[in-house]
């Protein structure tokens, strides 16, 4: 953070970021371990508990004490720590702590598996928010705000798919060794794709009333034209969901290098298209760049 000029404004948050990452990692470790042990009810209960804790801490630190960004970070840190402690005690994770259980051979396998996922995650994240950076730099903050408002509706699709992936990721891994694996994957993919296309078409059909419902035009009248850019972003969100579905198969079969190569192609295309299309087409150019990037990733992955 100190070495990258773009992130210089985050310098004062460095100590909090360290604790933030530690708390998040600790919670993820406990949560995924509980989930892997098929303690689904406890895993689900923890999701509700964590959300409730985050809400309470947000009210205390942001609404009541007015701590802003630091308040949000403190709220997330404390809710993650509460979740980790809750899971650690409820699932009796203490009995699994054994320093002698460490395996170098398994460690090597896990490193080979996860190392490609690190740049993959970074590029996936950057591709997701780079449009706003490009628009803000080329067209100004007002256009970046309109783009952000237009992206609200596609986020509905992403939120629903996140719920689906909670169940699907586990199934993809457990079914990977079964004889009818291909049939199982195909059936789930077919149903998922159908729901995505129908849901996306429905959102595009009702784009104006849905936008009016989700965006406060009275406070932000300049956002009233945001719906014009939403259909392409909905299409982009659809293919993002399909990309993630195919990525889960890469994970289940330990082909994480393939995940890296495919998102790298989308990452490069996104930068090129943003640079070329935004000066010519403005906000719509950024939406088109996003759609084409995720569509390219989908084409490569489905063929692979």
């Amino acid at each position: 953070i100190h070495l990258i000029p773009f992130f210089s404004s985050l310098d004062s948050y460095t100590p909090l970021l360290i604790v933030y990452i530690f708390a998040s990692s600790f919670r993820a470790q406990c949560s995924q371990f509980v989930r892997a042990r098929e303690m689904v009810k406890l895993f689900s209960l923890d999701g509700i508990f964590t959300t409730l804790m985050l809400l309470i801490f947000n009210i205390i630190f942001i609404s009541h004490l007015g701590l802003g960004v630091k308040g949000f970070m403190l709220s997330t840190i404390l809710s993650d720590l509460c979740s980790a402690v809750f899971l650690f005690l409820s699932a009796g994770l203490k009995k699994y702590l054994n320093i002698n259980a460490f395996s170098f051979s398994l460690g090597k396998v896990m490193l080979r598996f996860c190392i490609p996922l690190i740049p993959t995650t970074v590029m996936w994240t950057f591709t997701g928010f780079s449009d706003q950076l490009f628009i803000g730099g080329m067209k100004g903050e007002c256009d970046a705000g309109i783009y952000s408002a237009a992206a609200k509706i596609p986020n509905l699709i992403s939120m629903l798919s996140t719920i689906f992936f909670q169940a699907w990721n586990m199934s993809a891994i457990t079914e990977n060794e079964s004889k009818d694996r291909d049939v199982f994957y195909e059936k789930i993919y077919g149903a998922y794709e159908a729901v995505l296309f129908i849901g996306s078409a429905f959102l595009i059909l009702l784009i104006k009333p849905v936008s009016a419902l989700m965006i406060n035009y009275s406070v932000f009248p300049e956002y009233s034209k945001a719906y014009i850019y939403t259909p392409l972003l909905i299409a982009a969100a659809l293919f993002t969901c399909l990309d993630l579905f195919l990525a889960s198969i890469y994970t289940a079969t330990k082909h994480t290098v393939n995940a890296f190569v495919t998102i790298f192609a989308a990452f490069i295309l996104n930068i090129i298209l943003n640079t070329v299309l935004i000066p010519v087409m403005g906000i719509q150019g950024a939406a088109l760049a996003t759609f084409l990037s995720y569509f390219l990733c989908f084409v490569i992955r489905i063929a692979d």
Side-chain angles (χ1 to χ4, degrees):
I1 288 171
H2 287 285
L3 293 173
I4 303 169
F6 183 79
F7 293 117
S8 59
S9 60
L10 298 179
D11 279 356
S12 60
Y13 297 106
T14 304
L16 266 179
L17 277 170
I18 293 168
V19 181
Y20 183 98
I21 292 166
F22 167 78
S24 175
S25 301
F26 184 36
R27 189 221 166 192
Q29 182 79 350
C30 295
S31 177
Q32 295 306 316
F33 192 73
V34 165
R35 186 176 165 202
R37 289 176 57 206
E38 298 184 359
M39 302 173 76
V40 180
K41 287 183 180 178
L42 181 60
F43 178 79
S44 303
L45 181 63
D46 172 65
I48 298 167
F49 172 70
T50 308
T51 305
L52 182 63
M53 287 294 98
L54 183 63
L55 176 65
I56 291 169
F57 287 127
N58 273 332
I59 291 170
I60 294 169
F61 291 115
I62 299 175
S63 300
H64 185 63
L65 298 177
L67 294 179
V69 175
K70 287 184 178 177
F72 172 76
M73 293 181 74
L74 283 169
S75 300
T76 309
I77 289 166
L78 290 172
S79 63
D80 280 347
L81 287 175
C82 287
S83 165
V85 171
F86 168 69
L87 289 171
F88 195 85
L89 296 175
S90 302
L93 300 187
K94 184 180 177 181
K95 62 188 176 191
Y96 293 98
L97 290 175
N98 181 3
I99 194 71
N100 297 318
F102 184 79
S103 166
F104 280 99
S105 58
L106 179 60
K108 288 178 182 177
V109 171
M110 292 178 74
L111 275 175
R112 281 199 302 270
F113 171 79
C114 75
I115 284 174
L117 291 176
I118 298 168
T120 299
T121 304
V122 171
M123 286 189 291
W124 190 268
T125 305
F126 182 79
T127 304
F129 76 79
S130 63
D131 295 349
Q132 278 184 259
L133 294 178
F134 276 101
I135 294 171
M138 293 180 177
K139 294 290 181 179
E141 291 303 317
C142 181
D143 281 11
I146 294 170
Y147 183 89
S148 177
K152 278 187 176 183
I153 291 108
N155 285 342
L156 293 173
I157 299 170
S158 302
M159 284 168 58
L160 291 172
S161 72
T162 302
I163 298 167
F164 165 79
F165 278 112
Q166 294 290 338
W168 164 247
N169 275 333
M170 207 66 195
S171 301
I173 293 165
T174 54
E175 292 291 328
N176 187 49
E177 302 298 329
S178 65
K179 292 180 180 178
D180 61 344
R181 179 197 70 175
D182 294 0
V183 176
F184 174 73
Y185 282 180
E186 190 176 344
K187 282 183 177 178
I188 298 296
Y189 176 80
Y192 182 57
E193 186 182 50
V195 169
L196 280 176
F197 271 96
I198 292 167
S200 299
F202 188 70
L203 269 180
I204 292 171
L205 178 69
L206 299 174
I207 194 63
K208 288 186 80 172
V210 172
S211 293
L213 190 67
M214 293 189 67
I215 303 169
N216 193 338
Y217 294 156
S218 59
V219 178
F220 305 103
E222 65 274 21
Y223 291 177
S224 60
K225 60 178 182 179
Y227 75 91
I228 298 169
Y229 313 108
T230 303
L232 267 177
L233 291 175
I234 290 173
L238 184 153
F239 281 102
T240 302
C241 294
L242 294 179
D243 289 341
L244 290 171
F245 182 97
L246 298 173
S248 63
I249 297 176
Y250 283 145
T251 303
T253 55
K254 297 181 183 175
H255 285 82
T256 49
V257 173
N258 301 53
F260 165 74
V261 171
T262 49
I263 190 59
F264 182 71
F267 172 76
I268 295 299
L269 183 67
N270 185 256
I271 292 174
I272 294 169
L273 290 179
N274 272 324
T275 307
V276 173
L277 295 177
I278 291 175
V280 179
M281 300 173 64
I283 299 171
Q284 201 71 278
L288 182 59
T290 301
F291 165 70
L292 290 174
S293 301
Y294 288 128
F295 181 70
L296 174 69
C297 184
F298 168 76
V299 169
I300 299 171
R301 285 184 178 182
I302 202 76
D304 188 35

